[in-house]
Amino acid sequence: MLKINARFIISAGTEAQFQTFDKPVIAVCGRSNVGKSTFLNKLANNGKLARTSKDPGRTRLINYFDFGPFVMADLPGYGYAKVSKGEADKWASLMEKFFAKAQISHAFSLVDIRHEPTEADLQMINYLYANNIPFTIIATKADKLSKEGARKGVRLIAQTVKCGEGNIIAVSSQTGSGFDKIMERLEQIVSTGDTLDA
């Protein structure tokens, strides 16, 4: 069982500020307001580790968190309509450079279980596929649906992104459901590096 003792390391807004580590780095990506910060806080058992906001688009930097056996890189949320094109292009460029330069062992791609993945979600997942970055889809906000509704949500996501249902983990940061499976996946990532297939 992994022992987690999470702390914030640094924020990066430019390529020069990207960090390298001697432990696995897991990128956490998802559209604005999908619950990335809340997910990280639940995983760390620390409600104040990552700043949360009801306002989409708040995270505009790459935030690094040391979780002990691994590092989480919380990426800016994508798909926020109220951001200017210039700002959106800047974020897109930063992400391209990040994935090209950073040594990513795995990515957690967060999607809202209540809805079919958006075009921006598909672009992100297709990017991970195209660049051979192992990833797991995290279906957030499972507590908003019944168990049967959550199963249907996972099935729809799997069909939309063309992956197996076993590579999707439904979670609730409110109730903690699914986080046992997250821990199992993290143990695999830490022990095997980047050998997990999406």
Side-chain angles (χ1 to χ4, degrees):
M1 189 73 176
L2 296 177
K3 292 184 178 180
I4 288 178
N5 184 18
R7 64 179 181 84
F8 171 74
I9 305 172
I10 195 172
S11 295
T14 66
E15 185 177 358
Q17 294 172 328
F18 293 164
Q19 305 291 303
T20 57
F21 303 90
D22 59 357
K23 61 180 76 176
V25 177
I26 301 166
V28 181
C29 47
R31 68 173 179 78
S32 297
N33 226 25
V34 75
K36 291 189 290 91
S37 296
T38 306
F39 170 80
L40 287 168
N41 288 344
K42 183 65 178 179
L43 185 62
N45 195 28
N46 179 351
K48 297 181 179 179
L49 179 71
R51 294 178 66 182
T52 61
S53 173
K54 292 182 180 179
D55 300 321
R58 175 155 189 145
T59 303
R60 302 192 178 198
L61 302 170
I62 296 169
N63 293 313
Y64 292 95
F65 299 92
D66 188 343
F67 274 72
F70 56 90
V71 169
M72 287 282 198
D74 182 19
L75 308 186
Y78 52 73
Y80 181 44
K82 293 185 179 180
V83 171
S84 69
K85 186 179 186 303
E87 187 76 6
D89 289 345
K90 180 180 176 183
W91 291 1
S93 175
L94 185 67
M95 291 304 93
E96 287 278 354
K97 292 174 181 176
F98 174 78
F99 281 110
K101 297 283 186 181
Q103 296 178 330
I104 301 301
S105 296
H106 204 85
F108 281 169
S109 183
L110 274 61
V111 298
D112 190 325
I113 197 170
R114 300 171 296 175
H115 310 293
E116 184 174 350
T118 66
E119 184 62 33
D121 288 326
L122 294 176
Q123 287 177 358
M124 182 75 250
I125 291 167
N126 287 335
Y127 181 88
L128 296 172
Y129 270 129
N131 288 274
N132 296 314
I133 299 170
F135 68 91
T136 301
I137 296 174
I138 310 298
T140 63
K141 307 186 182 183
D143 57 288
K144 305 293 185 183
L145 299 175
S146 65
K147 287 186 178 180
E148 178 58 27
R151 282 193 288 270
K152 288 181 179 179
V154 167
R155 192 174 307 126
L156 176 60
I157 293 168
Q159 292 170 349
T160 304
V161 306
K162 298 179 174 58
C163 77
E165 291 182 29
N167 200 48
I168 301 172
I169 301 175
V171 303
S172 167
S173 296
Q174 302 301 317
T175 68
S177 67
F179 277 82
D180 54 339
K181 294 181 180 178
I182 296 292
M183 291 303 297
E184 290 175 4
R185 182 54 54 93
L186 287 168
E187 288 183 6
Q188 289 178 296
I189 295 167
V190 169
S191 64
T192 63
D194 58 357
T195 59
L196 283 174
D197 295 323

